[in-house]
Amino acid sequence: MEIDTGTTELLCSVRDGVALITLNRPEARNAMSPDLTEALRNQIKARGDDDAVGALLITGAGTAFCSGGDVKGMGGRGPRGQMSYEERLADLRWRQTHLTGALVAVRKPTIAALPGAAAGAGLAIALACDIRIAAKSAFCTTGYAKIGLSGDYGISWLLTRTIGPMRARELMFTSEKVGAERCEQIGLVNRVVDDAKLQEEAFAFAKSLAEGPRVALRHMKDNLDEALHIDYSLAHHREAERLVQSSRTEDHKEAVASFVEKRKPVFKGR
């Protein structure tokens, strides 16, 4: 099913429980434009709330994932250059909250498929997803130091929690281009696949998650998110609550029955 996103700069379809969201400005390496980012914000929220969707897969058209902000509109050249400091601050905070903030808040598995560059805010979008799958020719770079900026869209927080403070500082300070294989070595992406197989393998992976026990997966995300900032004792209590809740679902009963009957489970998401 094709979804009308309101712009050709963002494509969205829902198939086999997967919402495939494609940044579609290949001529600009999928740089973030006002139309693209507005549509992306809307689709993250809508597909995150859509009961027909079990997983979100975000990718880019052409040979890039997302090259970040449009540099040509920076340096006071764009419309935001006319804003006061307070206006610009409020505007950026709102845009961050409703893009990467909303993506982190989605209680379904989220996957980023990187056919090429993920740079700056584009890297932040990829980092806001649960899983990252990269083509062999892809690379990641923070990019901010090269344009005299300090970072936005939560990249410092996301990067630190993904690869640790030492690596995060190195990549932020240097804007180094990190190839796909090294990205996998340092934990920036989960796996690397052949360029020609990226979309196929990423969709198959997303589909496998969409077919999973959705209540249990939602509880897993809650447990894993909380593990970053609560103590072990509280984590025990929260895990126990969510496991008991999961045990009362139809999906759990189906999983047990399928195990006994030696067949693949068919989960209903309830």
Side-chain angles (χ1 to χ4, degrees):
M1 179 178 67
E2 298 297 324
I3 305 294
D4 182 6
T5 68
T7 176
T8 59
E9 293 186 358
L10 187 83
L11 308 178
C12 181
S13 62
V14 176
R15 178 165 57 93
D16 295 333
V18 177
L20 174 60
I21 300 172
T22 305
L23 283 61
N24 190 40
R25 296 186 70 212
E27 75 287 351
R29 303 179 77 198
N30 301 318
M32 296 166 63
S33 70
D35 286 348
L36 188 154
T37 50
E38 179 182 5
L40 182 56
R41 287 193 298 267
N42 292 339
Q43 289 306 313
I44 289 170
K45 178 66 168 64
R47 296 317 120 211
D49 293 340
D50 188 348
D51 290 339
V53 171
L56 278 66
L57 173 59
I58 302 177
T59 191
T63 58
F65 175 72
C66 176
S67 59
D70 189 346
V71 178
K72 293 180 180 178
M74 297 179 184
R77 291 186 177 88
R80 292 189 177 91
Q82 308 307 312
M83 292 180 176
S84 68
Y85 171 81
E86 290 77 13
E87 290 171 334
R88 180 69 199 282
L89 182 59
D91 174 70
L92 181 56
R93 283 175 171 169
W94 186 91
R95 288 186 288 117
Q96 292 180 151
T97 298
H98 291 84
L99 186 52
T100 46
L103 188 53
V104 168
V106 170
R107 294 296 87 189
K108 301 171 181 178
T110 55
I111 304 97
L114 281 55
L123 177 56
I125 292 170
L127 290 168
C129 293
D130 298 310
I131 303 290
R132 285 160 296 286
I133 303 174
K136 285 184 177 179
S137 63
F139 68 87
C140 296
T141 178
T142 59
Y144 291 100
K146 287 189 175 181
I147 54 173
L149 294 176
S150 55
D152 57 3
Y153 286 91
I155 191 167
S156 301
W157 191 93
L158 294 163
L159 196 61
T160 298
R161 281 158 179 75
T162 302
I163 59 174
M166 180 178 70
R167 294 287 191 194
R169 281 167 167 75
E170 178 186 0
L171 297 191
M172 288 298 293
F173 294 165
T174 65
S175 289
E176 174 188 356
K177 287 185 178 181
V178 185
E181 291 186 0
R182 183 162 180 250
C183 283
E184 185 178 25
Q185 290 171 359
I186 65 176
L188 197 54
V189 303
N190 297 78
R191 59 183 68 177
V192 176
V193 302
D194 289 339
D195 289 27
K197 294 182 178 180
L198 174 67
Q199 300 302 336
E200 176 187 351
E201 294 199 19
F203 188 88
F205 183 81
K207 181 175 179 288
S208 72
L209 295 180
E211 292 173 344
R214 296 184 182 181
V215 174
L217 290 172
R218 183 175 74 243
H219 288 328
M220 286 179 192
K221 286 195 71 165
D222 291 339
N223 287 336
L224 292 164
D225 286 349
E226 287 184 351
L228 294 169
H229 58 81
I230 64 174
D231 63 33
Y232 188 53
S233 177
L234 181 55
H236 269 180
H237 291 299
R238 295 279 176 80
E239 278 192 338
E241 290 171 4
R242 291 174 180 132
L243 185 133
V244 172
Q245 290 169 13
S246 300
S247 74
R248 300 167 71 88
T249 63
E250 292 181 26
D251 280 351
H252 171 63
K253 295 180 178 65
E254 164 63 9
V256 173
S258 68
F259 179 82
V260 173
E261 297 165 12
K262 296 182 172 58
R263 59 174 175 81
K264 182 180 178 180
V266 180
F267 295 120
K268 303 294 186 181
R270 55 183 184 268

